[in-house]
Amino acid sequence: MGIALASDRERDILRSYVRRIDPSDAGAHNNLGVLYHQKGLVEEAFTAFSRALELDPKMQVAQRNLEIACFSSDFYVGRVGALTERLRVDPADRHARWELARTYAALGDSREAVEEFTALLAHHPGDRDAIVQLGLAEKARGNLPAARGWLEQALTRDPDDAVINRHLGEVLYNLGLNDHAVAALDRSIAAEPDSPDAHYLIGFVYGDMGRPEDARRSTRRAVQLNPSLARAQANLSLDQYNPARYQELLPERQARREQRPPDQPEAARLAHLSLGVAFRAKFYYAEALREYRIALDRGADEAMVTRAMAEAHLLSGNARDALGLYDRALELGAPTASLHCERGVAQHQSGLHEDAAASYRSALALDPDHAVARNNLGVALHHAGDSRAALAAFDEVVVRRPDFVKALLNQALLLFRLRSPQASLEAYRRALAVAPDHPVAWNGIGLVLADQKRFDDARNAFGSAIHARPAFAEAHYNLGFALANLGDYEGALRATRRALELDPYYVPQKFQLALEMQHDGSGGGLDIAPELGESQRVDGGVEAFTFEPARLDALFAELVAVTDPDPETEAPSTPVATLADDPLALACEHVAAGLLDRAAAEIGRAMGRGADQADALTLLGDVFTRQGLHGEALERYRQAVALRPDSPRAQAGEARSLLLLGRPTDARPLAEALLSPGAGVDILLLVATVRRDSGDGKGARALLDQAREATPLRPDVHHQLGDLAFQLGDDVAAIAAYGAALGIDPDLAVVRHQMARALARSGAFADAERQLVAALEAVPTYVDATLELASVRRQMGNLREALEPLVKLLTRDPSHIDGLVTLAGTLLELQRPEDTARALERVRHLDPDHPPALHLEAVLLAGRRHYLEAIERWNRVVELAPATDAAEKARRGARAATMMLRGFRPRGP
C-alpha cells in the first residue's frame, strides 16, 4: 500500500479529527491511525494506535497496525535510538525512560518494557504511574503473580482508583481467584459507577462463578453505558489489502529481539536487592519488601535478604514481623553487633523492654564501642524503670562518642525529667555545639527554661526551634504556653492555632532510638528516631526570635543556685493525649489536613465499620462543601437530617448548602429554626447571612449586633457587619466595621479588599489604594484586589501606575480575561490604540462574546471612524447583556455613532 504524503492543509484536517471522535472509542482511534499512516503521518499514527491499545489492550488489529507503522518506516529505529541516547547521557531521565518503556509495551515487547519500567523505578522509587505500567507489562507477558503484586502495590497509594482496580480484577480473574476479582471490580465500580469495561468484566466473572442473573444484569448495564459492546465494529487494517505484509515484518522483529543481551542472573539478583534498598531509602517499604522477595526467589543470599526484609518491616512499624525475621537472620549468618542491636529495637518497639536490653547487651559484648546499642540500652533501661542505670548508659555513650546527638538529647531529656535543670541545659548545649540548629535541642532548652519560670527566655528558645523546623507542632504548642504566661494572649492564640493545624494532639518530647543499618550508602550508619519523625527545614520560618550563645551561657550561672532533687525521685511525666475510639477519627484528621478525597473514602469505610450514619453523612456533607460540590453536600445533609432530625450540625449544613446554591429563601426557614436563646455565634452568623441574602437587612443586623456583643474579638463578625453595611449602601458603617475586623487580625486580605471598595465608592481613593497594596502584600496572587487596585488608580488618574498590577497578574496568568479587559481599558485611556487592539484580540480568542471587551472594541472602532462596525459591536453587547450597565453604555455609544454616521454620509438631492 503506497503512502501519499499529505499537504499542510490535509495534515491540519486530519489532526482536527482527534477532537471529533469519541475519546473512549478504541476503534475510532485505530481507524484514525490508519488515515494518519496513509498520509505519511507516522508519529501521529503511532500515537493513535497506542491510544487504541490503551483503551482496548486486546484489539489485535490495532497491535498489528502499530507494528506495521513502526517497522515499515524508520520511525521505530529513530525513536528508540534517540531515547536510548538520552538515557546514555542521563540514566535518570524519567521522560525518556518512560517513553522508551511505553514504546516497547505498545509493540508487545513486554520483557523489554518490564526492564525499562524497573530501571525507571530504580531512579524514581514510588513512581505510581510506572508501578501501574509495570503491572500491566507483567500481565501482558503472562507473569500474572508479578502483575498482581505491582497492581496491589499501586493500590496502597490510592485504594479506590477505578482503573487500577479494574486491571487487578482482570488479573485475579485470570488467576482463578474469582471472589477476589469481584471484590476488586466492585471497588472499581464504586469509584466509577459508569465504567462499561468494569461492568462488562464483572459479568464474565459472575458467569464463571455460576451466577447467570448477576452476569446478565452486569452485561446489560455495560451495554447501556457503551452500546458498542453489543455490536461488531469494522476496524481498519493497514494490511487488509496485503495480508502477507504483516508476515514479512516478523523476521525483522524477531531479529531485533534476538539482538538483546541474555539475562544475567547474578546481576538481576543484585539489581533487585539494590532496588529494594533504594525503595527503603525513599520510605517505600512495601515496594522494598517486594523487591527483596524477588531477589530471594532468584537465589540471592538468604541471610542478607532476610535481614534487609527485617529492616524494612522495622522501619514501617511492623515490629512483630521484623522480630521473626531477625531471629531467622541470626540463625542463618554470623551474629554481629548491629544485627543484635536491630533485633533489640524490634523487641523494644514490641514493648519487650527487658528482652531489648538483653539484645543491646549482646551487641555490646561483641563490640563495646557500639554507641548505637549503648544509647538504645539507656532508653530500654529507662522504659524498664531503672532511670539511674539509664543515665549511666547515656553518660558512657557521650564519653565514648561526644558527637552522638541522639544520645546527648536523650541524656538531656532524662536529666530534665529527673529534675536536674543545670545538667540538662548543659547536655542540650553540647548537642547544639554539634548541631547548632537542632530543633529538638532548642525545644528542650525551652522546656527547661519554662520549668524555671523564665518564660521570656523560653519563648526565644521555642522560637529558635520553630525557625529550625517550621512544622514542629510541639514547639508551637510550647511557644503558645510561654506567650500566655507573658500576657501575649493574641500571640498565644496564633501559636496554638498553628500547632492545631499541624497536629491536633500535643505529644511531649520523647526518647529516641537509633539504628545502624546494612547497605547504607552514606557509610556512617543510618540513624532514625521511631518515636519522633524528622522534618525538613523550609524557608519562611520564624525570624523574630534570637538566642545568642552568650545568653545561653549566662543561664548556667543563674541556675547554679537551684538545688537538684534526688535523681531517684522522677517527676511525673506529662500524660500523652490519645485518639478517641471513634470510627470517624481518621476521616476528621483527613478533613483537617485538607485531604478531602481520602476523607471521603475513609468515611465510606467507617460507615461500613459501624460508624454513626448521621454523623458520617454530616461529615461527608462537610467534605463536599469544602470541595465546592454544594448539591452533593445538600443531599448528604438531608439524609443525615432524615436519620436524626434534631442534629443541629446537619440542619446547619443543609441551610448553608441551600445558601451556597443561591437559594436563600429556601434556606431561611431551616436556618431560623436553629435560633434559640443559647445559639452559638456560628449559628447567628449563618442565620444573619441567610436573612441578608433574602433581603432582610434589618433582621440580619440585629443578629450580627448580638454576635458582636457575645464575641467582640471575632473578626468574622465585624467582617459580616461590614458586608451588610456595604450592601445597604452605608459606606461609613462598612468602613468602621472593616476597620474593627482589621484591628483584631491585620492579615485579613479579603477585609482590606472590601474596605477598599467602600473607600473608593465614597471617594477616598488614596486610602483605598493603601488598603489594596496591603492586601496584595499579604496575598500577592489576590486577583480581585489586583483588578480593584488598577481600577482605583485609573480613577485617581494614575494610569501608568495602574498598569503595574495588571502586568504582574497577566505574567502569572496570560489568559485571565478580566485582567486583559482591564488592561485594554487602561491602554485605551493612555491613547495606545495598537496595544489596546492586541489585548482585545487576545480576549476575542478566549471569549468572542465578552460584553465589556466588545464595548471596548466598539469604542476603539468608533475612534477610528469605523462607525458601522462599532454599532455592530454595541448592538451585540445589548443582545448579550440587555439589563446591565454595559448595555446602557452600548446604547448610548450606538446612538452617538449613528448620529456621526449620518453626519458623514452625503445628503441626497
Side-chain angles (χ1 to χ4, degrees):
M1 180 172 59
I3 296 179
L5 296 178
S7 65
D8 291 341
R9 176 174 174 77
E10 287 178 319
R11 289 171 183 263
D12 292 338
I13 293 173
L14 284 172
R15 290 187 178 115
S16 71
Y17 286 166
V18 75
R19 298 191 296 270
R20 304 179 187 179
I21 65 174
D22 183 353
S24 63
D25 188 344
H29 286 282
N30 172 75
N31 296 345
L32 181 62
V34 171
L35 294 178
Y36 281 145
H37 189 265
Q38 288 174 343
K39 291 300 181 179
L41 304 177
V42 180
E43 185 170 357
E44 287 83 352
F46 176 86
T47 302
F49 294 139
S50 298
R51 179 59 179 154
L53 287 169
E54 288 177 1
L55 293 169
D56 185 359
K58 299 179 176 61
M59 183 181 283
Q60 294 300 315
V61 65
Q63 182 69 51
R64 292 168 64 185
N65 287 341
L66 182 67
E67 295 178 6
I68 292 173
C70 285
F71 299 138
S72 61
S73 67
D74 294 332
F75 174 75
Y76 170 81
V77 175
R79 181 179 180 84
V80 173
L83 293 172
T84 303
E85 177 60 22
R86 284 175 57 182
L87 290 171
R88 186 189 65 79
V89 175
D90 181 9
D93 187 334
R94 195 262 181 200
H95 179 72
R97 185 80 65 182
W98 173 268
E99 289 299 321
L100 182 59
R102 291 292 294 127
T103 300
Y104 285 139
L107 293 172
D109 295 336
S110 302
R111 189 185 72 174
E112 291 86 344
V114 166
E115 292 178 2
E116 295 302 331
F117 283 126
T118 302
L120 190 155
L121 286 173
H123 291 287
H124 304 278
D127 189 313
R128 175 184 173 277
D129 294 338
I131 292 172
V132 173
Q133 291 298 327
L134 185 51
L136 297 181
E138 292 284 16
K139 183 184 76 169
R141 71 170 181 170
N143 190 356
L144 297 181
R148 176 187 179 183
W150 286 112
L151 293 173
E152 287 178 342
Q153 178 178 316
L155 285 175
T156 59
R157 288 170 170 73
D158 190 357
D160 299 319
D161 188 284
V163 176
I164 300 175
N165 273 299
R166 188 176 75 242
H167 286 303
L168 178 61
E170 182 179 359
V171 169
L172 293 168
Y173 170 63
N174 290 325
L175 285 169
L177 303 174
N178 289 337
D179 291 334
H180 294 287
V182 168
L185 293 170
D186 280 340
R187 291 194 299 271
S188 176
I189 292 170
E192 192 176 327
D194 295 334
S195 169
D197 294 333
H199 286 285
Y200 203 64
L201 182 55
I202 203 172
F204 276 104
V205 182
Y206 282 143
D208 199 42
M209 297 172 70
R211 298 166 57 179
E213 291 299 325
D214 292 335
R216 280 193 290 269
R217 184 176 64 254
S218 296
T219 304
R220 280 197 303 270
R221 178 59 178 155
V223 172
Q224 289 173 356
L225 294 168
N226 183 7
S228 65
L229 294 173
R231 63 177 184 269
Q233 301 185 62
N235 293 314
L236 301 179
S237 172
L238 292 176
D239 64 349
Q240 58 182 326
Y241 304 113
N242 183 8
R245 177 66 181 130
Y246 182 70
Q247 296 298 325
E248 293 173 3
L249 295 171
L250 291 182
E252 179 182 347
R253 175 174 177 172
Q254 185 63 32
R256 179 176 58 81
R257 283 182 169 177
E258 291 174 354
Q259 291 173 1
R260 298 189 61 83
D263 289 338
Q264 299 177 7
E266 182 60 28
R269 289 194 291 268
L270 293 176
H272 284 288
L273 182 60
S274 299
L275 184 57
V277 173
F279 278 132
R280 186 194 73 189
K282 295 291 185 180
F283 312 110
Y284 300 125
Y285 303 122
E287 294 86 339
L289 286 167
R290 193 173 309 282
E291 291 302 317
Y292 293 149
R293 293 190 191 100
I294 295 174
L296 202 58
D297 291 341
R298 297 189 177 183
D301 182 82
E302 185 178 358
M304 181 187 300
V305 177
T306 300
R307 179 177 174 184
M309 294 174 71
E311 291 170 350
H313 278 297
L314 183 61
L315 291 172
S316 65
N318 187 2
R320 184 180 298 276
D321 288 345
L323 187 55
L325 288 166
Y326 277 123
D327 290 340
R328 176 61 178 161
L330 285 170
E331 294 174 2
L332 291 170
T336 63
S338 59
L339 185 56
H340 277 294
C341 183
E342 290 176 24
R343 180 172 179 266
V345 173
Q347 293 168 325
H348 203 143
Q349 291 188 329
S350 300
L352 306 173
H353 299 135
E354 294 182 358
D355 294 341
S359 292
Y360 298 142
R361 289 191 178 99
S362 297
L364 291 170
L366 293 171
D367 182 3
D369 293 325
H370 200 282
V372 171
R374 199 170 297 279
N375 170 78
N376 294 352
L377 176 61
V379 179
L381 290 170
H382 169 69
H383 286 159
D386 192 349
S387 297
R388 183 175 292 277
L391 187 58
F394 293 138
D395 290 343
E396 189 169 354
V397 175
V398 298
V399 168
R400 291 172 178 264
R401 187 171 153 187
D403 61 344
F404 194 177
V405 174
K406 280 188 173 60
L408 287 165
L409 295 176
N410 287 335
Q411 181 190 43
L413 179 58
L414 183 55
L415 287 167
F416 172 62
R417 294 192 179 183
L418 294 177
R419 311 302 299 168
S420 299
Q422 182 184 1
S424 175
L425 209 57
E426 175 62 34
Y428 280 126
R429 186 175 70 162
R430 290 199 301 270
L432 288 173
V434 179
D437 293 325
H438 202 292
V440 177
W442 281 116
N443 184 69
I445 288 174
L447 291 173
V448 176
L449 296 173
D451 187 64
Q452 298 298 312
K453 309 300 181 186
R454 295 181 170 274
F455 296 110
D456 193 25
D457 293 322
R459 176 198 62 183
N460 292 337
F462 294 135
S464 297
I466 295 169
H467 177 73
R469 186 194 297 169
F472 197 176
E474 182 190 343
H476 284 282
Y477 278 115
N478 294 334
L479 176 61
F481 172 75
L483 292 173
N485 279 277
L486 290 170
D488 184 1
Y489 299 110
E490 292 186 8
L493 181 61
R494 285 194 299 270
T496 306
R497 185 184 302 148
R498 176 59 178 152
L500 288 168
E501 291 173 357
L502 294 168
D503 188 344
Y505 297 97
Y506 177 80
V507 179
Q509 197 153 316
K510 295 183 177 181
F511 292 95
Q512 302 182 51
L513 296 174
L515 285 176
E516 186 177 74
M517 312 188 76
Q518 65 171 345
H519 303 299
D520 177 34
S522 67
L526 175 64
D527 289 345
I528 64 151
E531 294 184 312
L532 184 61
E534 294 293 336
S535 298
Q536 293 180 349
R537 178 174 177 174
V538 297
D539 293 335
V542 178
E543 300 292 345
F545 298 102
T546 58
F547 207 122
E548 297 297 332
R551 177 62 181 147
L552 183 60
D553 292 338
L555 289 171
F556 295 108
E558 299 175 14
L559 291 173
V560 168
V562 178
T563 303
D564 293 343
D566 185 355
E568 294 183 354
T569 307
E570 184 175 353
S573 59
T574 306
V576 179
T578 58
L579 285 170
D581 187 16
D582 179 5
L584 292 171
L586 183 57
C588 291
E589 288 185 11
H590 288 328
V591 173
L595 305 174
L596 301 180
D597 290 334
R598 293 187 185 180
E602 178 59 29
I603 291 168
R605 287 190 286 269
M607 293 175 74
R609 294 195 299 265
D612 183 278
Q613 300 295 297
D615 289 343
L617 288 167
T618 302
L619 185 59
L620 190 57
D622 296 342
V623 170
F624 285 133
T625 298
R626 292 183 61 174
Q627 290 177 318
L629 305 174
H630 304 305
E632 295 284 350
L634 176 62
E635 182 180 346
R636 300 311 185 277
Y637 289 132
R638 283 178 169 171
Q639 291 173 353
V641 170
L643 292 172
R644 189 187 299 163
D646 60 345
S647 171
R649 248 186 88 209
Q651 291 173 327
E654 183 180 1
R656 190 179 299 107
S657 296
L658 288 168
L659 183 64
L660 293 169
L661 287 168
R663 298 163 57 184
T665 305
D666 295 334
R668 183 160 185 177
L670 298 171
E672 297 283 357
L674 295 171
L675 284 177
S676 64
V681 174
D682 291 331
I683 295 297
L684 294 176
L685 293 179
L686 173 61
V687 182
T689 305
V690 172
R691 287 181 177 180
R692 182 195 70 192
D693 290 358
S694 58
D696 184 6
K698 184 177 179 180
R701 178 60 185 260
L703 290 179
L704 290 174
D705 286 339
Q706 182 181 343
R708 180 177 56 185
E709 292 174 5
T711 55
L713 294 180
R714 278 191 57 162
D716 54 341
V717 175
H718 296 280
H719 183 187
Q720 287 213 27
L721 278 166
D723 286 348
L724 177 62
F726 183 81
Q727 183 175 319
L728 296 175
D730 188 349
D731 292 330
V732 175
I735 293 168
Y738 291 139
L742 291 172
I744 299 168
D745 189 349
D747 296 329
L748 293 173
V750 65
V751 176
R752 291 192 181 277
H753 171 238
Q754 290 294 98
M755 187 175 184
R757 293 180 63 200
L759 288 165
R761 197 165 67 177
S762 63
F765 296 115
D767 291 336
E769 182 183 23
R770 282 192 289 273
Q771 292 297 331
L772 291 166
V773 170
L776 288 170
E777 286 177 353
V779 185
T781 57
Y782 194 169
V783 174
D784 291 340
T786 300
L787 297 176
E788 188 71 25
L789 178 59
S791 175
V792 166
R793 287 177 173 172
R794 286 173 65 185
Q795 293 178 76
M796 295 171 68
N798 300 330
L799 297 177
R800 294 190 180 279
E801 289 81 356
L803 292 176
E804 178 189 352
L806 296 173
V807 170
K808 290 181 179 178
L809 168 62
L810 293 170
T811 300
R812 294 192 307 269
D813 184 0
S815 301
H816 195 284
I817 292 180
D818 291 337
L820 287 168
V821 172
T822 306
L823 176 66
T826 307
L827 292 170
L828 187 60
E829 291 184 37
L830 283 168
Q831 298 183 357
R832 293 166 56 178
E834 297 300 327
D835 293 333
T836 303
R838 279 195 291 271
L840 291 174
E841 184 179 3
R842 289 175 63 183
V843 177
R844 193 182 309 115
H845 287 308
L846 298 168
D847 185 358
D849 290 329
H850 192 274
L854 289 171
H855 171 69
L856 288 175
E857 281 189 42
V859 173
L860 189 63
L861 289 166
R864 295 173 173 175
R865 298 187 178 184
H866 298 165
Y867 297 115
L868 286 176
E869 295 177 59
I871 292 171
E872 178 187 353
R873 300 292 196 282
W874 274 318
N875 288 339
R876 183 60 177 159
V877 172
V878 174
E879 179 185 346
L880 292 169
T884 62
D885 292 340
E888 184 58 33
K889 292 179 183 177
R891 293 187 184 97
R892 291 198 299 267
R895 286 196 296 268
T898 302
M899 294 175 63
M900 294 296 295
L901 190 62
R902 289 173 179 172
F904 277 101
R905 280 182 176 175
R907 297 183 179 274

